[in-house]
Amino acid sequence: EVQLEQSGGGLVHPGGSLRLSCAASGFTLRSYWIHWVRQVPGKGLEWVSRITTDGRTRFADSVNGRFTISRDDTRNTLYLQMNSLRAEDTAVYFCARDEGSGTPLDFWGQGTLVTVSS
Amino acid sequence: DIQMTQSPSSLSASVGGRVTITCRASQTITNSLNWYQQRPGKAPRLLIYGASNLKSGVPSRFRGGGSGTYFTLTITSLQPEDFATYYCQHGDSFGQGTKLE
């Protein structure tokens, strides 16, 4: 069964860092593009970042330079490293997979809440 | 960047009824448009891909249409579990969402 299991959310002070994890089961993570999408509670979906099968990454302007993505193929797990966090980064973060440009996000993680507050 | 504009932002309907949600792209995207359903506290779920293709396991009362810049999601014979929020998506751009209540 295909699953994306997320972990790593929590409360962090402004300026702090947090690392989110997205562990895949039932498929090989490196064979898919993996995206991060976030959602401020009560609001819509916002695309954050993605990594391709060959390791190319891209980020939304709002997080570029502060967030990075890495992948551990031995653990079949993806990480979103979030630095210099701001209050406006507070959201539920989802990881999701697709098969490349133009394909749909066909499986999603359950989401993890990140709260940036003093 | 291509922007997706979804309407309406909310929609009232009844069980057994029919609704249509629209999504417009700021430039032509042929049929590269996907629809998702999100229930409260849950992750989005893919319903329709490539504008009109139903994902396996999704009930046939969900129908997607359109191409170019104009797309629709129609739900017929509404069931209680259909009352949720729906999003269109192209690439890294999502519509604003439509809450069906």
Side-chain angles (χ1 to χ4, degrees), chain A residues 32-57:
Chain A
Y32 291 81
W33 290 25
I34 305 297
H35 300 254
W36 290 95
V37 176
R38 68 185 180 184
Q39 184 173 40
V40 173
K43 303 298 183 182
L45 300 171
E46 178 191 14
W47 179 85
V48 174
S49 65
R50 63 99 167 114
I51 184 168
T52 66
T53 52
D54 58 359
R56 288 175 291 121
T57 58

mmCIF file with all atom_site columns, all heavy atoms in Angstrom, chain A residues 32-57:
data_model
loop_
_atom_site.group_PDB
_atom_site.id
_atom_site.type_symbol
_atom_site.label_atom_id
_atom_site.label_alt_id
_atom_site.label_comp_id
_atom_site.label_asym_id
_atom_site.label_entity_id
_atom_site.label_seq_id
_atom_site.pdbx_PDB_ins_code
_atom_site.Cartn_x
_atom_site.Cartn_y
_atom_site.Cartn_z
_atom_site.occupancy
_atom_site.B_iso_or_equiv
_atom_site.pdbx_formal_charge
_atom_site.auth_seq_id
_atom_site.auth_comp_id
_atom_site.auth_asym_id
_atom_site.auth_atom_id
_atom_site.pdbx_PDB_model_num
ATOM 1   N N   . TYR A 1 32 ? 9.841  9.276  -7.985  1.00 0.00 ? 32 TYR A N   1
ATOM 2   C CA  . TYR A 1 32 ? 8.761  10.249 -8.139  1.00 0.00 ? 32 TYR A CA  1
ATOM 3   C C   . TYR A 1 32 ? 9.263  11.650 -7.803  1.00 0.00 ? 32 TYR A C   1
ATOM 4   O O   . TYR A 1 32 ? 10.234 11.823 -7.072  1.00 0.00 ? 32 TYR A O   1
ATOM 5   C CB  . TYR A 1 32 ? 7.590  9.911  -7.219  1.00 0.00 ? 32 TYR A CB  1
ATOM 6   C CG  . TYR A 1 32 ? 6.852  8.656  -7.629  1.00 0.00 ? 32 TYR A CG  1
ATOM 7   C CD1 . TYR A 1 32 ? 7.357  7.401  -7.282  1.00 0.00 ? 32 TYR A CD1 1
ATOM 8   C CD2 . TYR A 1 32 ? 5.671  8.735  -8.361  1.00 0.00 ? 32 TYR A CD2 1
ATOM 9   C CE1 . TYR A 1 32 ? 6.693  6.242  -7.673  1.00 0.00 ? 32 TYR A CE1 1
ATOM 10  C CE2 . TYR A 1 32 ? 5.004  7.585  -8.741  1.00 0.00 ? 32 TYR A CE2 1
ATOM 11  C CZ  . TYR A 1 32 ? 5.527  6.348  -8.402  1.00 0.00 ? 32 TYR A CZ  1
ATOM 12  O OH  . TYR A 1 32 ? 4.865  5.214  -8.783  1.00 0.00 ? 32 TYR A OH  1
ATOM 13  N N   . TRP A 1 33 ? 8.567  12.642 -8.332  1.00 0.00 ? 33 TRP A N   1
ATOM 14  C CA  . TRP A 1 33 ? 8.740  14.000 -7.843  1.00 0.00 ? 33 TRP A CA  1
ATOM 15  C C   . TRP A 1 33 ? 7.962  14.099 -6.535  1.00 0.00 ? 33 TRP A C   1
ATOM 16  O O   . TRP A 1 33 ? 6.840  13.594 -6.439  1.00 0.00 ? 33 TRP A O   1
ATOM 17  C CB  . TRP A 1 33 ? 8.170  15.008 -8.838  1.00 0.00 ? 33 TRP A CB  1
ATOM 18  C CG  . TRP A 1 33 ? 8.939  15.157 -10.108 1.00 0.00 ? 33 TRP A CG  1
ATOM 19  C CD1 . TRP A 1 33 ? 9.774  14.249 -10.705 1.00 0.00 ? 33 TRP A CD1 1
ATOM 20  C CD2 . TRP A 1 33 ? 8.919  16.295 -10.967 1.00 0.00 ? 33 TRP A CD2 1
ATOM 21  N NE1 . TRP A 1 33 ? 10.261 14.747 -11.869 1.00 0.00 ? 33 TRP A NE1 1
ATOM 22  C CE2 . TRP A 1 33 ? 9.767  16.010 -12.059 1.00 0.00 ? 33 TRP A CE2 1
ATOM 23  C CE3 . TRP A 1 33 ? 8.272  17.535 -10.943 1.00 0.00 ? 33 TRP A CE3 1
ATOM 24  C CZ2 . TRP A 1 33 ? 9.978  16.915 -13.100 1.00 0.00 ? 33 TRP A CZ2 1
ATOM 25  C CZ3 . TRP A 1 33 ? 8.486  18.434 -11.969 1.00 0.00 ? 33 TRP A CZ3 1
ATOM 26  C CH2 . TRP A 1 33 ? 9.338  18.116 -13.034 1.00 0.00 ? 33 TRP A CH2 1
ATOM 27  N N   . ILE A 1 34 ? 8.533  14.737 -5.557  1.00 0.00 ? 34 ILE A N   1
ATOM 28  C CA  . ILE A 1 34 ? 7.863  14.937 -4.277  1.00 0.00 ? 34 ILE A CA  1
ATOM 29  C C   . ILE A 1 34 ? 7.737  16.435 -4.024  1.00 0.00 ? 34 ILE A C   1
ATOM 30  O O   . ILE A 1 34 ? 8.711  17.189 -4.156  1.00 0.00 ? 34 ILE A O   1
ATOM 31  C CB  . ILE A 1 34 ? 8.616  14.279 -3.110  1.00 0.00 ? 34 ILE A CB  1
ATOM 32  C CG1 . ILE A 1 34 ? 8.851  12.794 -3.392  1.00 0.00 ? 34 ILE A CG1 1
ATOM 33  C CG2 . ILE A 1 34 ? 7.829  14.473 -1.809  1.00 0.00 ? 34 ILE A CG2 1
ATOM 34  C CD1 . ILE A 1 34 ? 7.596  11.954 -3.515  1.00 0.00 ? 34 ILE A CD1 1
ATOM 35  N N   . HIS A 1 35 ? 6.537  16.837 -3.671  1.00 0.00 ? 35 HIS A N   1
ATOM 36  C CA  . HIS A 1 35 ? 6.220  18.238 -3.444  1.00 0.00 ? 35 HIS A CA  1
ATOM 37  C C   . HIS A 1 35 ? 5.874  18.467 -1.987  1.00 0.00 ? 35 HIS A C   1
ATOM 38  O O   . HIS A 1 35 ? 5.394  17.570 -1.286  1.00 0.00 ? 35 HIS A O   1
ATOM 39  C CB  . HIS A 1 35 ? 5.007  18.647 -4.289  1.00 0.00 ? 35 HIS A CB  1
ATOM 40  C CG  . HIS A 1 35 ? 5.207  18.495 -5.763  1.00 0.00 ? 35 HIS A CG  1
ATOM 41  N ND1 . HIS A 1 35 ? 5.395  19.580 -6.603  1.00 0.00 ? 35 HIS A ND1 1
ATOM 42  C CD2 . HIS A 1 35 ? 5.246  17.386 -6.550  1.00 0.00 ? 35 HIS A CD2 1
ATOM 43  C CE1 . HIS A 1 35 ? 5.532  19.148 -7.841  1.00 0.00 ? 35 HIS A CE1 1
ATOM 44  N NE2 . HIS A 1 35 ? 5.459  17.820 -7.832  1.00 0.00 ? 35 HIS A NE2 1
ATOM 45  N N   . TRP A 1 36 ? 6.076  19.682 -1.549  1.00 0.00 ? 36 TRP A N   1
ATOM 46  C CA  . TRP A 1 36 ? 5.554  20.157 -0.269  1.00 0.00 ? 36 TRP A CA  1
ATOM 47  C C   . TRP A 1 36 ? 4.514  21.238 -0.568  1.00 0.00 ? 36 TRP A C   1
ATOM 48  O O   . TRP A 1 36 ? 4.761  22.166 -1.344  1.00 0.00 ? 36 TRP A O   1
ATOM 49  C CB  . TRP A 1 36 ? 6.657  20.713 0.610   1.00 0.00 ? 36 TRP A CB  1
ATOM 50  C CG  . TRP A 1 36 ? 7.587  19.659 1.130   1.00 0.00 ? 36 TRP A CG  1
ATOM 51  C CD1 . TRP A 1 36 ? 8.780  19.268 0.584   1.00 0.00 ? 36 TRP A CD1 1
ATOM 52  C CD2 . TRP A 1 36 ? 7.412  18.856 2.302   1.00 0.00 ? 36 TRP A CD2 1
ATOM 53  N NE1 . TRP A 1 36 ? 9.348  18.273 1.331   1.00 0.00 ? 36 TRP A NE1 1
ATOM 54  C CE2 . TRP A 1 36 ? 8.531  17.993 2.404   1.00 0.00 ? 36 TRP A CE2 1
ATOM 55  C CE3 . TRP A 1 36 ? 6.424  18.770 3.302   1.00 0.00 ? 36 TRP A CE3 1
ATOM 56  C CZ2 . TRP A 1 36 ? 8.693  17.072 3.433   1.00 0.00 ? 36 TRP A CZ2 1
ATOM 57  C CZ3 . TRP A 1 36 ? 6.584  17.854 4.327   1.00 0.00 ? 36 TRP A CZ3 1
ATOM 58  C CH2 . TRP A 1 36 ? 7.711  17.013 4.387   1.00 0.00 ? 36 TRP A CH2 1
ATOM 59  N N   . VAL A 1 37 ? 3.377  21.084 0.055   1.00 0.00 ? 37 VAL A N   1
ATOM 60  C CA  . VAL A 1 37 ? 2.268  22.025 -0.090  1.00 0.00 ? 37 VAL A CA  1
ATOM 61  C C   . VAL A 1 37 ? 1.831  22.396 1.321   1.00 0.00 ? 37 VAL A C   1
ATOM 62  O O   . VAL A 1 37 ? 1.751  21.530 2.196   1.00 0.00 ? 37 VAL A O   1
ATOM 63  C CB  . VAL A 1 37 ? 1.090  21.374 -0.849  1.00 0.00 ? 37 VAL A CB  1
ATOM 64  C CG1 . VAL A 1 37 ? -0.116 22.317 -0.906  1.00 0.00 ? 37 VAL A CG1 1
ATOM 65  C CG2 . VAL A 1 37 ? 1.520  20.969 -2.260  1.00 0.00 ? 37 VAL A CG2 1
ATOM 66  N N   . ARG A 1 38 ? 1.562  23.673 1.547   1.00 0.00 ? 38 ARG A N   1
ATOM 67  C CA  . ARG A 1 38 ? 1.145  24.056 2.900   1.00 0.00 ? 38 ARG A CA  1
ATOM 68  C C   . ARG A 1 38 ? -0.222 24.727 2.890   1.00 0.00 ? 38 ARG A C   1
ATOM 69  O O   . ARG A 1 38 ? -0.710 25.193 1.843   1.00 0.00 ? 38 ARG A O   1
ATOM 70  C CB  . ARG A 1 38 ? 2.179  24.961 3.558   1.00 0.00 ? 38 ARG A CB  1
ATOM 71  C CG  . ARG A 1 38 ? 2.322  26.355 2.951   1.00 0.00 ? 38 ARG A CG  1
ATOM 72  C CD  . ARG A 1 38 ? 3.474  27.101 3.631   1.00 0.00 ? 38 ARG A CD  1
ATOM 73  N NE  . ARG A 1 38 ? 3.643  28.445 3.090   1.00 0.00 ? 38 ARG A NE  1
ATOM 74  C CZ  . ARG A 1 38 ? 4.635  29.267 3.463   1.00 0.00 ? 38 ARG A CZ  1
ATOM 75  N NH1 . ARG A 1 38 ? 5.537  28.881 4.366   1.00 0.00 ? 38 ARG A NH1 1
ATOM 76  N NH2 . ARG A 1 38 ? 4.712  30.479 2.920   1.00 0.00 ? 38 ARG A NH2 1
ATOM 77  N N   . GLN A 1 39 ? -0.814 24.772 4.065   1.00 0.00 ? 39 GLN A N   1
ATOM 78  C CA  . GLN A 1 39 ? -2.168 25.320 4.199   1.00 0.00 ? 39 GLN A CA  1
ATOM 79  C C   . GLN A 1 39 ? -2.298 25.997 5.551   1.00 0.00 ? 39 GLN A C   1
ATOM 80  O O   . GLN A 1 39 ? -2.256 25.332 6.596   1.00 0.00 ? 39 GLN A O   1
ATOM 81  C CB  . GLN A 1 39 ? -3.198 24.196 4.065   1.00 0.00 ? 39 GLN A CB  1
ATOM 82  C CG  . GLN A 1 39 ? -4.633 24.657 4.083   1.00 0.00 ? 39 GLN A CG  1
ATOM 83  C CD  . GLN A 1 39 ? -5.586 23.514 3.765   1.00 0.00 ? 39 GLN A CD  1
ATOM 84  O OE1 . GLN A 1 39 ? -5.397 22.387 4.215   1.00 0.00 ? 39 GLN A OE1 1
ATOM 85  N NE2 . GLN A 1 39 ? -6.618 23.808 2.972   1.00 0.00 ? 39 GLN A NE2 1
ATOM 86  N N   . VAL A 1 40 ? -2.432 27.299 5.515   1.00 0.00 ? 40 VAL A N   1
ATOM 87  C CA  . VAL A 1 40 ? -2.748 28.033 6.735   1.00 0.00 ? 40 VAL A CA  1
ATOM 88  C C   . VAL A 1 40 ? -4.127 27.565 7.183   1.00 0.00 ? 40 VAL A C   1
ATOM 89  O O   . VAL A 1 40 ? -5.037 27.430 6.353   1.00 0.00 ? 40 VAL A O   1
ATOM 90  C CB  . VAL A 1 40 ? -2.738 29.541 6.475   1.00 0.00 ? 40 VAL A CB  1
ATOM 91  C CG1 . VAL A 1 40 ? -3.226 30.301 7.690   1.00 0.00 ? 40 VAL A CG1 1
ATOM 92  C CG2 . VAL A 1 40 ? -1.345 30.007 6.054   1.00 0.00 ? 40 VAL A CG2 1
ATOM 93  N N   . PRO A 1 41 ? -4.310 27.266 8.465   1.00 0.00 ? 41 PRO A N   1
ATOM 94  C CA  . PRO A 1 41 ? -5.611 26.779 8.936   1.00 0.00 ? 41 PRO A CA  1
ATOM 95  C C   . PRO A 1 41 ? -6.758 27.673 8.470   1.00 0.00 ? 41 PRO A C   1
ATOM 96  O O   . PRO A 1 41 ? -6.718 28.894 8.640   1.00 0.00 ? 41 PRO A O   1
ATOM 97  C CB  . PRO A 1 41 ? -5.451 26.788 10.456  1.00 0.00 ? 41 PRO A CB  1
ATOM 98  C CG  . PRO A 1 41 ? -4.000 26.518 10.663  1.00 0.00 ? 41 PRO A CG  1
ATOM 99  C CD  . PRO A 1 41 ? -3.302 27.253 9.554   1.00 0.00 ? 41 PRO A CD  1
ATOM 100 N N   . GLY A 1 42 ? -7.738 27.043 7.828   1.00 0.00 ? 42 GLY A N   1
ATOM 101 C CA  . GLY A 1 42 ? -8.893 27.776 7.334   1.00 0.00 ? 42 GLY A CA  1
ATOM 102 C C   . GLY A 1 42 ? -8.698 28.427 5.978   1.00 0.00 ? 42 GLY A C   1
ATOM 103 O O   . GLY A 1 42 ? -9.630 29.058 5.459   1.00 0.00 ? 42 GLY A O   1
ATOM 104 N N   . LYS A 1 43 ? -7.511 28.280 5.390   1.00 0.00 ? 43 LYS A N   1
ATOM 105 C CA  . LYS A 1 43 ? -7.215 28.913 4.103   1.00 0.00 ? 43 LYS A CA  1
ATOM 106 C C   . LYS A 1 43 ? -6.949 27.861 3.031   1.00 0.00 ? 43 LYS A C   1
ATOM 107 O O   . LYS A 1 43 ? -7.116 26.667 3.245   1.00 0.00 ? 43 LYS A O   1
ATOM 108 C CB  . LYS A 1 43 ? -6.006 29.843 4.240   1.00 0.00 ? 43 LYS A CB  1
ATOM 109 C CG  . LYS A 1 43 ? -6.170 30.928 5.290   1.00 0.00 ? 43 LYS A CG  1
ATOM 110 C CD  . LYS A 1 43 ? -7.313 31.871 4.960   1.00 0.00 ? 43 LYS A CD  1
ATOM 111 C CE  . LYS A 1 43 ? -7.415 32.995 5.977   1.00 0.00 ? 43 LYS A CE  1
ATOM 112 N NZ  . LYS A 1 43 ? -8.568 33.899 5.684   1.00 0.00 ? 43 LYS A NZ  1
ATOM 113 N N   . GLY A 1 44 ? -6.516 28.322 1.863   1.00 0.00 ? 44 GLY A N   1
ATOM 114 C CA  . GLY A 1 44 ? -6.315 27.433 0.730   1.00 0.00 ? 44 GLY A CA  1
ATOM 115 C C   . GLY A 1 44 ? -4.936 26.795 0.694   1.00 0.00 ? 44 GLY A C   1
ATOM 116 O O   . GLY A 1 44 ? -4.111 26.969 1.592   1.00 0.00 ? 44 GLY A O   1
ATOM 117 N N   . LEU A 1 45 ? -4.700 26.044 -0.370  1.00 0.00 ? 45 LEU A N   1
ATOM 118 C CA  . LEU A 1 45 ? -3.450 25.320 -0.549  1.00 0.00 ? 45 LEU A CA  1
ATOM 119 C C   . LEU A 1 45 ? -2.417 26.204 -1.239  1.00 0.00 ? 45 LEU A C   1
ATOM 120 O O   . LEU A 1 45 ? -2.728 26.923 -2.186  1.00 0.00 ? 45 LEU A O   1
ATOM 121 C CB  . LEU A 1 45 ? -3.697 24.067 -1.400  1.00 0.00 ? 45 LEU A CB  1
ATOM 122 C CG  . LEU A 1 45 ? -4.699 23.067 -0.829  1.00 0.00 ? 45 LEU A CG  1
ATOM 123 C CD1 . LEU A 1 45 ? -5.014 21.993 -1.856  1.00 0.00 ? 45 LEU A CD1 1
ATOM 124 C CD2 . LEU A 1 45 ? -4.172 22.446 0.457   1.00 0.00 ? 45 LEU A CD2 1
ATOM 125 N N   . GLU A 1 46 ? -1.175 26.123 -0.750  1.00 0.00 ? 46 GLU A N   1
ATOM 126 C CA  . GLU A 1 46 ? -0.070 26.890 -1.333  1.00 0.00 ? 46 GLU A CA  1
ATOM 127 C C   . GLU A 1 46 ? 1.089  25.947 -1.597  1.00 0.00 ? 46 GLU A C   1
ATOM 128 O O   . GLU A 1 46 ? 1.619  25.316 -0.679  1.00 0.00 ? 46 GLU A O   1
ATOM 129 C CB  . GLU A 1 46 ? 0.376  28.007 -0.382  1.00 0.00 ? 46 GLU A CB  1
ATOM 130 C CG  . GLU A 1 46 ? 1.557  28.811 -0.912  1.00 0.00 ? 46 GLU A CG  1
ATOM 131 C CD  . GLU A 1 46 ? 2.187  29.740 0.114   1.00 0.00 ? 46 GLU A CD  1
ATOM 132 O OE1 . GLU A 1 46 ? 1.903  29.593 1.326   1.00 0.00 ? 46 GLU A OE1 1
ATOM 133 O OE2 . GLU A 1 46 ? 2.968  30.619 -0.284  1.00 0.00 ? 46 GLU A OE2 1
ATOM 134 N N   . TRP A 1 47 ? 1.516  25.892 -2.844  1.00 0.00 ? 47 TRP A N   1
ATOM 135 C CA  . TRP A 1 47 ? 2.687  25.083 -3.197  1.00 0.00 ? 47 TRP A CA  1
ATOM 136 C C   . TRP A 1 47 ? 3.937  25.722 -2.607  1.00 0.00 ? 47 TRP A C   1
ATOM 137 O O   . TRP A 1 47 ? 4.104  26.945 -2.658  1.00 0.00 ? 47 TRP A O   1
ATOM 138 C CB  . TRP A 1 47 ? 2.802  25.000 -4.716  1.00 0.00 ? 47 TRP A CB  1
ATOM 139 C CG  . TRP A 1 47 ? 3.972  24.208 -5.181  1.00 0.00 ? 47 TRP A CG  1
ATOM 140 C CD1 . TRP A 1 47 ? 4.053  22.861 -5.351  1.00 0.00 ? 47 TRP A CD1 1
ATOM 141 C CD2 . TRP A 1 47 ? 5.261  24.724 -5.537  1.00 0.00 ? 47 TRP A CD2 1
ATOM 142 N NE1 . TRP A 1 47 ? 5.302  22.507 -5.786  1.00 0.00 ? 47 TRP A NE1 1
ATOM 143 C CE2 . TRP A 1 47 ? 6.074  23.635 -5.912  1.00 0.00 ? 47 TRP A CE2 1
ATOM 144 C CE3 . TRP A 1 47 ? 5.815  26.010 -5.569  1.00 0.00 ? 47 TRP A CE3 1
ATOM 145 C CZ2 . TRP A 1 47 ? 7.387  23.776 -6.332  1.00 0.00 ? 47 TRP A CZ2 1
ATOM 146 C CZ3 . TRP A 1 47 ? 7.127  26.162 -5.982  1.00 0.00 ? 47 TRP A CZ3 1
ATOM 147 C CH2 . TRP A 1 47 ? 7.907  25.052 -6.353  1.00 0.00 ? 47 TRP A CH2 1
ATOM 148 N N   . VAL A 1 48 ? 4.812  24.871 -2.044  1.00 0.00 ? 48 VAL A N   1
ATOM 149 C CA  . VAL A 1 48 ? 6.011  25.367 -1.367  1.00 0.00 ? 48 VAL A CA  1
ATOM 150 C C   . VAL A 1 48 ? 7.295  24.998 -2.098  1.00 0.00 ? 48 VAL A C   1
ATOM 151 O O   . VAL A 1 48 ? 8.158  25.839 -2.334  1.00 0.00 ? 48 VAL A O   1
ATOM 152 C CB  . VAL A 1 48 ? 6.075  24.831 0.082   1.00 0.00 ? 48 VAL A CB  1
ATOM 153 C CG1 . VAL A 1 48 ? 7.388  25.205 0.761   1.00 0.00 ? 48 VAL A CG1 1
ATOM 154 C CG2 . VAL A 1 48 ? 4.888  25.337 0.896   1.00 0.00 ? 48 VAL A CG2 1
ATOM 155 N N   . SER A 1 49 ? 7.416  23.705 -2.437  1.00 0.00 ? 49 SER A N   1
ATOM 156 C CA  . SER A 1 49 ? 8.673  23.273 -3.037  1.00 0.00 ? 49 SER A CA  1
ATOM 157 C C   . SER A 1 49 ? 8.512  21.898 -3.655  1.00 0.00 ? 49 SER A C   1
ATOM 158 O O   . SER A 1 49 ? 7.505  21.218 -3.438  1.00 0.00 ? 49 SER A O   1
ATOM 159 C CB  . SER A 1 49 ? 9.791  23.234 -1.994  1.00 0.00 ? 49 SER A CB  1
ATOM 160 O OG  . SER A 1 49 ? 9.514  22.241 -1.024  1.00 0.00 ? 49 SER A OG  1
ATOM 161 N N   . ARG A 1 50 ? 9.531  21.496 -4.436  1.00 0.00 ? 50 ARG A N   1
ATOM 162 C CA  . ARG A 1 50 ? 9.528  20.138 -4.984  1.00 0.00 ? 50 ARG A CA  1
ATOM 163 C C   . ARG A 1 50 ? 10.951 19.693 -5.298  1.00 0.00 ? 50 ARG A C   1
ATOM 164 O O   . ARG A 1 50 ? 11.849 20.488 -5.473  1.00 0.00 ? 50 ARG A O   1
ATOM 165 C CB  . ARG A 1 50 ? 8.647  20.044 -6.224  1.00 0.00 ? 50 ARG A CB  1
ATOM 166 C CG  . ARG A 1 50 ? 9.100  20.887 -7.403  1.00 0.00 ? 50 ARG A CG  1
ATOM 167 C CD  . ARG A 1 50 ? 9.875  20.077 -8.436  1.00 0.00 ? 50 ARG A CD  1
ATOM 168 N NE  . ARG A 1 50 ? 10.022 20.854 -9.676  1.00 0.00 ? 50 ARG A NE  1
ATOM 169 C CZ  . ARG A 1 50 ? 11.188 21.302 -10.158 1.00 0.00 ? 50 ARG A CZ  1
ATOM 170 N NH1 . ARG A 1 50 ? 12.328 21.070 -9.512  1.00 0.00 ? 50 ARG A NH1 1
ATOM 171 N NH2 . ARG A 1 50 ? 11.227 21.984 -11.281 1.00 0.00 ? 50 ARG A NH2 1
ATOM 172 N N   . ILE A 1 51 ? 11.098 18.366 -5.346  1.00 0.00 ? 51 ILE A N   1
ATOM 173 C CA  . ILE A 1 51 ? 12.351 17.766 -5.772  1.00 0.00 ? 51 ILE A CA  1
ATOM 174 C C   . ILE A 1 51 ? 12.017 16.746 -6.849  1.00 0.00 ? 51 ILE A C   1
ATOM 175 O O   . ILE A 1 51 ? 11.051 15.994 -6.745  1.00 0.00 ? 51 ILE A O   1
ATOM 176 C CB  . ILE A 1 51 ? 13.108 17.113 -4.584  1.00 0.00 ? 51 ILE A CB  1
ATOM 177 C CG1 . ILE A 1 51 ? 14.465 16.570 -5.042  1.00 0.00 ? 51 ILE A CG1 1
ATOM 178 C CG2 . ILE A 1 51 ? 12.272 16.029 -3.914  1.00 0.00 ? 51 ILE A CG2 1
ATOM 179 C CD1 . ILE A 1 51 ? 15.391 16.183 -3.894  1.00 0.00 ? 51 ILE A CD1 1
ATOM 180 N N   . THR A 1 52 ? 12.814 16.748 -7.908  1.00 0.00 ? 52 THR A N   1
ATOM 181 C CA  . THR A 1 52 ? 12.584 15.826 -9.012  1.00 0.00 ? 52 THR A CA  1
ATOM 182 C C   . THR A 1 52 ? 13.313 14.506 -8.762  1.00 0.00 ? 52 THR A C   1
ATOM 183 O O   . THR A 1 52 ? 14.078 14.358 -7.804  1.00 0.00 ? 52 THR A O   1
ATOM 184 C CB  . THR A 1 52 ? 13.076 16.431 -10.330 1.00 0.00 ? 52 THR A CB  1
ATOM 185 O OG1 . THR A 1 52 ? 14.507 16.574 -10.263 1.00 0.00 ? 52 THR A OG1 1
ATOM 186 C CG2 . THR A 1 52 ? 12.443 17.798 -10.573 1.00 0.00 ? 52 THR A CG2 1
ATOM 187 N N   . THR A 1 53 ? 13.097 13.572 -9.664  1.00 0.00 ? 53 THR A N   1
ATOM 188 C CA  . THR A 1 53 ? 13.757 12.271 -9.540  1.00 0.00 ? 53 THR A CA  1
ATOM 189 C C   . THR A 1 53 ? 15.284 12.407 -9.612  1.00 0.00 ? 53 THR A C   1
ATOM 190 O O   . THR A 1 53 ? 16.008 11.660 -8.954  1.00 0.00 ? 53 THR A O   1
ATOM 191 C CB  . THR A 1 53 ? 13.289 11.307 -10.632 1.00 0.00 ? 53 THR A CB  1
ATOM 192 O OG1 . THR A 1 53 ? 13.435 11.944 -11.905 1.00 0.00 ? 53 THR A OG1 1
ATOM 193 C CG2 . THR A 1 53 ? 11.828 10.914 -10.417 1.00 0.00 ? 53 THR A CG2 1
ATOM 194 N N   . ASP A 1 54 ? 15.765 13.385 -10.382 1.00 0.00 ? 54 ASP A N   1
ATOM 195 C CA  . ASP A 1 54 ? 17.213 13.554 -10.496 1.00 0.00 ? 54 ASP A CA  1
ATOM 196 C C   . ASP A 1 54 ? 17.753 14.608 -9.536  1.00 0.00 ? 54 ASP A C   1
ATOM 197 O O   . ASP A 1 54 ? 18.887 15.057 -9.676  1.00 0.00 ? 54 ASP A O   1
ATOM 198 C CB  . ASP A 1 54 ? 17.625 13.870 -11.930 1.00 0.00 ? 54 ASP A CB  1
ATOM 199 C CG  . ASP A 1 54 ? 16.968 15.124 -12.470 1.00 0.00 ? 54 ASP A CG  1
ATOM 200 O OD1 . ASP A 1 54 ? 16.164 15.740 -11.725 1.00 0.00 ? 54 ASP A OD1 1
ATOM 201 O OD2 . ASP A 1 54 ? 17.239 15.498 -13.619 1.00 0.00 ? 54 ASP A OD2 1
ATOM 202 N N   . GLY A 1 55 ? 16.942 14.971 -8.536  1.00 0.00 ? 55 GLY A N   1
ATOM 203 C CA  . GLY A 1 55 ? 17.425 15.801 -7.447  1.00 0.00 ? 55 GLY A CA  1
ATOM 204 C C   . GLY A 1 55 ? 17.338 17.304 -7.635  1.00 0.00 ? 55 GLY A C   1
ATOM 205 O O   . GLY A 1 55 ? 17.829 18.065 -6.802  1.00 0.00 ? 55 GLY A O   1
ATOM 206 N N   . ARG A 1 56 ? 16.718 17.736 -8.722  1.00 0.00 ? 56 ARG A N   1
ATOM 207 C CA  . ARG A 1 56 ? 16.565 19.195 -8.910  1.00 0.00 ? 56 ARG A CA  1
ATOM 208 C C   . ARG A 1 56 ? 15.480 19.705 -7.985  1.00 0.00 ? 56 ARG A C   1
ATOM 209 O O   . ARG A 1 56 ? 14.427 19.098 -7.842  1.00 0.00 ? 56 ARG A O   1
ATOM 210 C CB  . ARG A 1 56 ? 16.215 19.500 -10.366 1.00 0.00 ? 56 ARG A CB  1
ATOM 211 C CG  . ARG A 1 56 ? 17.384 19.294 -11.329 1.00 0.00 ? 56 ARG A CG  1
ATOM 212 C CD  . ARG A 1 56 ? 16.938 19.502 -12.774 1.00 0.00 ? 56 ARG A CD  1
ATOM 213 N NE  . ARG A 1 56 ? 16.049 18.458 -13.242 1.00 0.00 ? 56 ARG A NE  1
ATOM 214 C CZ  . ARG A 1 56 ? 14.819 18.672 -13.691 1.00 0.00 ? 56 ARG A CZ  1
ATOM 215 N NH1 . ARG A 1 56 ? 14.334 19.908 -13.743 1.00 0.00 ? 56 ARG A NH1 1
ATOM 216 N NH2 . ARG A 1 56 ? 14.076 17.665 -14.109 1.00 0.00 ? 56 ARG A NH2 1
ATOM 217 N N   . THR A 1 57 ? 15.745 20.842 -7.365  1.00 0.00 ? 57 THR A N   1
ATOM 218 C CA  . THR A 1 57 ? 14.783 21.410 -6.428  1.00 0.00 ? 57 THR A CA  1
ATOM 219 C C   . THR A 1 57 ? 14.297 22.778 -6.900  1.00 0.00 ? 57 THR A C   1
ATOM 220 O O   . THR A 1 57 ? 14.964 23.461 -7.678  1.00 0.00 ? 57 THR A O   1
ATOM 221 C CB  . THR A 1 57 ? 15.385 21.562 -5.028  1.00 0.00 ? 57 THR A CB  1
ATOM 222 O OG1 . THR A 1 57 ? 16.551 22.405 -5.109  1.00 0.00 ? 57 THR A OG1 1
ATOM 223 C CG2 . THR A 1 57 ? 15.773 20.223 -4.444  1.00 0.00 ? 57 THR A CG2 1
#
